Amino acid sequence: LAKTTQPISMDSYEGQEVNITCSHNNIATNDYITWYQQFPSQGPRFIIQGYKTKVTNEVASLFIPADRKSSTLSLPRVSLSDTAVYYCLVGARTGSARQLTFGSGTQLTVLP
Amino acid sequence: DTAVSQTPKYLVTQMGNDKSIKCEQNLGHDTMYWYKQDSKKFLKIMFSYNNKELIINETVPNRFSPKSPDKAHLNLHINSLELGDSAVYFCASSQDVNMPNTEAFFGQGTRLTVV
């Protein structure tokens, strides 16, 4: 099963760019890398997904090196409302089934 | 119109009781999941159902049993509740668990407190 490792916590200030890196050494060939955001008392929410190189949407960018053993979520110009837990997720196969396995998450705190 | 809804949002009950948490999705997804999030925020998968078949069953106590009356519902039944069962339980769904780029949609969670 693909296992992910992320920093437990990060602090940043408003307006800064934040980069959160996730390690996933056992990622499978067909697996995508997905990042979720979770606010207190809410369920996780999809923010971005990628397979290789770089993906960008209106919320974030995702950088994936050629070996795909890690990925970096980049949040441009964070605001206080970006304070949340960010999970790196890699689909893992168990037999013929896929398991959506969450990592421990990174608590991002944005300070004024 | 909520995509994944679960009820109740809060559940307080005594040890030894049996309780159920309901989950419904209106996204037409084939797969539904139950996750448990403990006080340390670790999000662990408990079950997943694909087309009414249990395809993953993590090492959870057999006091926990998922019930899927149809593709849009996956309820969680818990027997003989214990203090350690206190957590937030999340229901989720995705289009096809065997597609590599599947995205999961989560409900708002049910905070279970066993006293």
Side-chain angles (χ1 to χ4, degrees):
Chain A
L1 300 177
K3 180 180 178 181
T4 59
T5 304
Q6 316 173 219
I8 294 175
S9 64
M10 294 181 69
D11 291 342
S12 181
Y13 291 95
E14 280 192 290
Q16 289 186 333
E17 177 184 80
V18 171
N19 295 310
I20 306 175
T21 297
C22 176
S23 298
H24 29 77
N25 292 320
N26 296 327
I27 187 170
T29 303
N30 293 333
D31 285 340
Y32 277 62
I33 300 154
T34 310
W35 285 79
Y36 285 79
Q37 175 191 56
Q38 185 179 25
F39 295 114
S41 302
Q42 293 187 24
R45 182 176 69 101
F46 170 91
I47 48 176
I48 198 167
Q49 184 180 76
Y51 182 80
K52 62 180 179 180
T53 62
K54 177 183 175 182
V55 178
T56 298
N57 61 22
E58 65 278 5
V59 177
S61 294
L62 180 59
F63 298 92
I64 306 168
D67 65 6
R68 303 197 334 118
K69 294 184 182 297
S70 66
S71 59
T72 299
L73 174 72
S74 180
L75 304 172
R77 298 178 298 281
V78 294
S79 63
L80 296 177
S81 61
D82 292 318
T83 294
V85 178
Y86 291 83
Y87 291 96
C88 169
L89 183 66
V90 175
R93 289 195 176 276
T94 303
S96 62
R98 167 178 295 276
Q99 179 180 13
L100 294 179
T101 304
F102 281 77
S104 57
T106 298
Q107 171 67 58
L108 172 65
T109 302
V110 180
L111 305 169
Chain B
D1 195 18
T2 305
V4 181
S5 60
Q6 49 184 112
T7 55
K9 188 170 184 177
Y10 299 96
L11 181 57
V12 181
T13 187
Q14 291 184 329
M15 286 176 55
N17 284 350
D18 303 335
K19 291 293 179 184
S20 296
I21 306 173
K22 296 184 178 181
C23 179
E24 176 182 5
Q25 55 96 3
N26 61 6
L27 299 168
H29 286 167
D30 289 331
T31 306
M32 297 184 70
Y33 312 82
W34 277 104
Y35 283 82
K36 177 181 180 181
Q37 187 167 46
D38 60 25
S39 57
K40 295 182 178 180
K41 304 299 183 183
F42 289 109
L43 200 60
K44 297 181 180 179
I45 189 167
M46 300 176 69
F47 303 102
S48 64
Y49 255 74
N50 186 313
N51 290 326
K52 299 185 69 174
E53 284 189 65
L54 179 66
I55 57 173
I56 300 173
N57 187 347
E58 287 296 296
T59 55
V60 299
N62 57 15
R63 298 181 294 103
F64 291 79
S65 58
K67 303 290 184 186
S68 181
D70 54 58
K71 196 173 78 168
H73 296 83
L74 183 65
N75 303 324
L76 183 64
H77 297 269
I78 315 170
N79 296 324
S80 302
L81 278 156
E82 301 177 357
L83 293 177
D85 298 332
S86 295
V88 181
Y89 293 84
F90 287 100
C91 176
S93 73
S94 66
Q95 185 170 13
D96 182 345
V97 75
N98 287 309
M99 291 178 64
N101 57 343
T102 190
E103 170 189 344
F105 293 80
F106 284 79
Q108 292 298 299
T110 296
R111 181 173 294 278
L112 171 65
T113 303
V114 183
V115 297

